[in-house]
Structure formats: structure tokens, C-alpha cells
């Protein structure tokens, strides 16, 4: 395929972007995460098996963020925000 006079390979583009890595997967108990989000949680020693629901996971992440407010934890904040948004849409009556 040619875009702006450059030959672009769809297969290479899909491989480079890797859309499956950003897809949310069900880890049980209403917890849906992308591979990247799961890796971030594992980096901070959050084990998904310890959580019975998304609210308890969000609570523990927020508690961790509050206890470590002096550190740069933007990646963990991003996960917390993503989970809070997911929780809102899953559990809010419309």
C-alpha cells in the first residue's frame, strides 16, 4: 500500500503497533487489564489473585500511591485511572 508516496506494509504496521497488547483481558472478578497494565501492576507487586473485585484493587493501588506520594508513579496512576473508569462504566446504573 502506498501512502504519501511511501510504500507501507500493513503486516509490518500491525506488527509494530501490536494492537493485541492494548486489548483488555479478563483476569476474573470484573478486572480487565491490558498486558501493559498487568505488567505495571506486577512491577509494584500487586497480585491479581489477591483481589475479589475491581474496587479492592483500586483501593489498594490508591493507598499505595498515597503512601508513596513523593515518588514518580505515573504509570501506576494511569492504571488506577483506567480501572476507575472501567469500574464506573461497569457498575454505574444508567
Amino acid at each position: 500500500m502506498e501512502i504519501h508516496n511511501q510504500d507501507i506494509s500493513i503486516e509490518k504496521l500491525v506488527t509494530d503497533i501490536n494492537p493485541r497488547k492494548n486489548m483488555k483481558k479478563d483476569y476474573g472478578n470484573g478486572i480487565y487489564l491490558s498486558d501493559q497494565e498487568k505488567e505495571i501492576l506486577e512491577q509494584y507487586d500487586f497480585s491479581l489473585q489477591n483481589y475479589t473485585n475491581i474496587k479492592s484493587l483500586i483501593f489498594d493501588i490508591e493507598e499505595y500511591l498515597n503512601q508513596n506520594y513523593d515518588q514518580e508513579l505515573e504509570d501506576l496512576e494511569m492504571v488506577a485511572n483506567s480501572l476507575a473508569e472501567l469500574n464506573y462504566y461497569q457498575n454505574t446504573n444508567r
Side-chain angles (χ1 to χ4, degrees):
M1 168 187 277
E2 195 169 302
I3 300 175
H4 300 292
N5 297 325
Q6 292 183 333
D7 191 33
I8 305 291
S9 165
I10 298 294
E11 290 80 14
K12 183 177 180 337
L13 185 61
V14 169
T15 301
D16 291 346
I17 294 174
N18 194 4
R20 292 190 188 271
K21 186 171 183 160
N22 294 320
M23 292 178 68
K24 304 270 185 184
K25 296 175 187 154
D26 183 5
Y27 288 94
N29 301 323
I31 300 172
Y32 292 84
L33 299 166
S34 68
D35 290 345
Q36 180 183 16
E37 291 169 333
K38 184 175 184 280
E39 289 170 12
I40 291 168
L41 290 176
E42 288 172 348
Q43 175 184 342
Y44 292 99
D45 296 323
F46 287 96
S47 176
L48 297 175
Q49 294 81 9
N50 296 337
Y51 297 97
T52 57
N53 59 48
I54 193 170
K55 291 178 184 179
S56 62
L57 176 57
I58 293 169
F59 180 82
D60 280 357
I61 294 171
E62 292 294 335
E63 190 171 283
Y64 183 89
L65 289 169
N66 289 334
Q67 290 174 354
N68 297 284
Y69 65 90
D70 56 338
Q71 298 179 28
E72 290 289 325
L73 302 172
E74 291 178 19
D75 54 349
L76 191 57
E77 287 179 26
M78 183 232 13
V79 173
N81 290 337
S82 176
L83 287 170
E85 183 177 349
L86 177 66
N87 181 53
Y88 174 81
Y89 286 110
Q90 279 183 338
N91 300 312
T92 301
N93 293 332
R94 295 179 200 155

